[in-house]
Amino acid sequence: MTETARADDAGSIAADVIPGIGTALAGITMVAMLVPVRRGVDDPIVWAGAAFAVAAVLAFLARRHADVGRRVIAPIAAVSSVAVVLLAGYALNQGVMASTALPAVPVSIPIVFVAFLTAGLTAGISVADYYDIGLAGLKRRSNQTLSLSIVGLAGLLAPLFVGAILYLLALPFIETLPEIERVVAEQLINQVGVIVGTALVVGAFLRTTDRDLSYIDVRWPTLRELGWIVGGVIVLFGTLYAISLLMQSTGVESAEHATTQDAAETPELMLLLAPIAILVIGPFEELLYRNVIQKSLYETFSRFGAVAVSSVIFAGVHALAYATAGLGAVIASLGTVFGLSIVLGVIYERTDNLVIPALVHGVYNALTFANLYFIYS
């Protein structure tokens, strides 16, 4: 965090404004978690979520009116809110939605999902309160998170747009190919779209923020950093195993990645995707989400805060890839992506070398694709 950011945070507003925001968000969370309770849902998970939501409300009220220090109250509010996120996510995964129709609109919203979102925001406010971040600092962090989320979304859409254009241009040729060769050609076009689209987004970011290519942290790995690559791949698979084991033991269902469906239909495609993972997917995703988004967040967040926020953005933009099942299953899968992204973010934060997380990410994906080939071939 810069000295200017710290100075702007100090004394910017009255001490009770941030707790007031936290109280409002926690109150919305509490009401949302109580909706299924009032509808007769007899699920201990829902009841526990409602209880933790009440605890967060009481913590913020104590912070505002009982003159209890932020160093005591903020951790209670944060832990309670994170508990609501986990319990609401689990309830959604088990099909507890408490959907409510909107007035005059033919759309219904799952109220438990509202609790999931607002509890996450409440946890963030709790952290801000703990570190005595004022309204100016909170606004600056929120604005930067929003703008970099747009960058992340652009990094998702631009490759799709470029790939679609290239596909239309190549369509007369593609239509003459046999089925397997057509699938390979389409995949290659998609990857060219990733390269060009991501490069355009990163280039636009550098230009609009008055930065040049020196902002990109690329250098030959040292011997120590080679150890980070090996250890990073092992930790990634270990993290995936731990999360998968936890989900299985608690009965949580996750959504399949669209690539898994592709592997079931065309296993040979995985042999193509394995090297592509190392040459394209790992490097270009890490370029955008680590070297651009995470590094930019260093300006206003702590280093670990930047890792966490960039991982939320990284998980969020992967929602489309997991949109193969219901909302609860998608949330579970995105939770896994978030956990893996934390590992990649820490590796980049420790090394400040894009090559390291790019290789870790690429090798991890390549081994995953190879495994899918052996499963479905």
Side-chain angles (χ1 to χ4, degrees), residues 346-367:
V346 169
I347 292 172
Y348 175 66
E349 190 276 328
R350 293 287 86 191
T351 61
D352 286 322
N353 185 358
L354 175 63
V355 175
I356 310 308
L359 284 174
V360 172
H361 189 162
V363 171
Y364 168 84
N365 278 9
L367 293 174

Side-chain angles (χ1 to χ4, degrees), residues 219 224-225 228 294 298 303 307 343-353:
R219 66 174 187 275
R224 178 175 175 273
E225 289 173 339
W228 275 99
Q294 180 175 314
Y298 291 162
R303 301 273 284 197
V307 171
V343 175
L344 292 168
V346 169
I347 292 172
Y348 175 66
E349 190 276 328
R350 293 287 86 191
T351 61
D352 286 322
N353 185 358

Side-chain angles (χ1 to χ4, degrees), residues 84 184 267 289 329 351 368:
V84 176
V184 170
Y289 295 102
T351 61
T368 300

Side-chain angles (χ1 to χ4, degrees), residues 9-251:
D9 291 338
S12 59
I13 59 167
D16 65 343
V17 174
I18 295 301
I21 296 173
T23 303
L25 287 171
I28 295 172
T29 304
M30 179 183 69
V31 171
M33 286 304 297
L34 287 173
V35 167
V37 173
R38 293 188 62 185
R39 292 183 181 179
V41 174
D42 188 18
D43 189 330
I45 296 298
V46 175
W47 280 86
F52 276 111
V54 171
V57 172
L58 293 176
F60 277 116
L61 288 175
R63 171 81 170 93
R64 296 186 68 192
H65 303 294
D67 196 28
V68 182
R70 59 184 172 81
R71 292 285 183 171
V72 175
I73 289 299
I76 296 174
V79 171
S80 298
S81 299
V82 171
V84 176
V85 170
L86 296 174
L87 292 168
Y90 184 82
L92 288 167
N93 191 265
Q94 301 304 302
V96 179
M97 299 286 178
S99 296
T100 300
L102 297 177
V105 180
V107 176
S108 62
I109 59 172
I111 298 300
V112 176
F113 182 62
V114 174
F116 175 84
L117 293 177
T118 55
L121 294 174
T122 307
I125 292 295
S126 302
V127 174
D129 188 36
Y130 182 82
Y131 287 104
D132 200 21
I133 294 172
L135 186 59
L138 182 64
K139 182 179 179 180
R140 184 173 57 254
R141 287 164 176 80
S142 299
N143 288 339
Q144 189 185 37
T145 300
L146 178 59
S147 62
L148 289 173
S149 296
I150 293 173
V151 172
L153 182 61
L156 170 69
L157 298 179
L160 295 176
F161 180 72
V162 173
I165 293 176
L166 294 175
Y167 179 79
L168 290 175
L169 293 174
L171 186 58
F173 168 72
I174 292 175
E175 289 180 333
T176 64
L177 297 175
E179 181 178 357
I180 184 63
E181 294 181 10
R182 183 167 64 249
V183 171
V184 170
E186 291 172 351
Q187 188 58 235
L188 291 175
I189 289 174
N190 289 340
Q191 299 310 317
V192 173
V194 169
I195 295 171
V196 176
T198 304
L200 289 174
V201 172
V202 172
F205 170 83
L206 294 176
R207 184 175 180 83
T208 56
T209 57
D210 295 323
R211 295 182 172 101
D212 55 29
L213 291 177
S214 64
Y215 192 74
I216 308 301
D217 297 321
V218 175
R219 66 174 187 275
W220 288 108
T222 64
L223 186 61
R224 178 175 175 273
E225 289 173 339
L226 291 176
W228 275 99
I229 296 172
V230 176
V233 173
I234 294 173
V235 172
L236 267 186
F237 277 107
T239 301
L240 177 64
Y241 177 77
I243 294 174
S244 299
L245 188 63
L246 177 62
M247 287 184 176
Q248 290 176 7
S249 64
T250 55

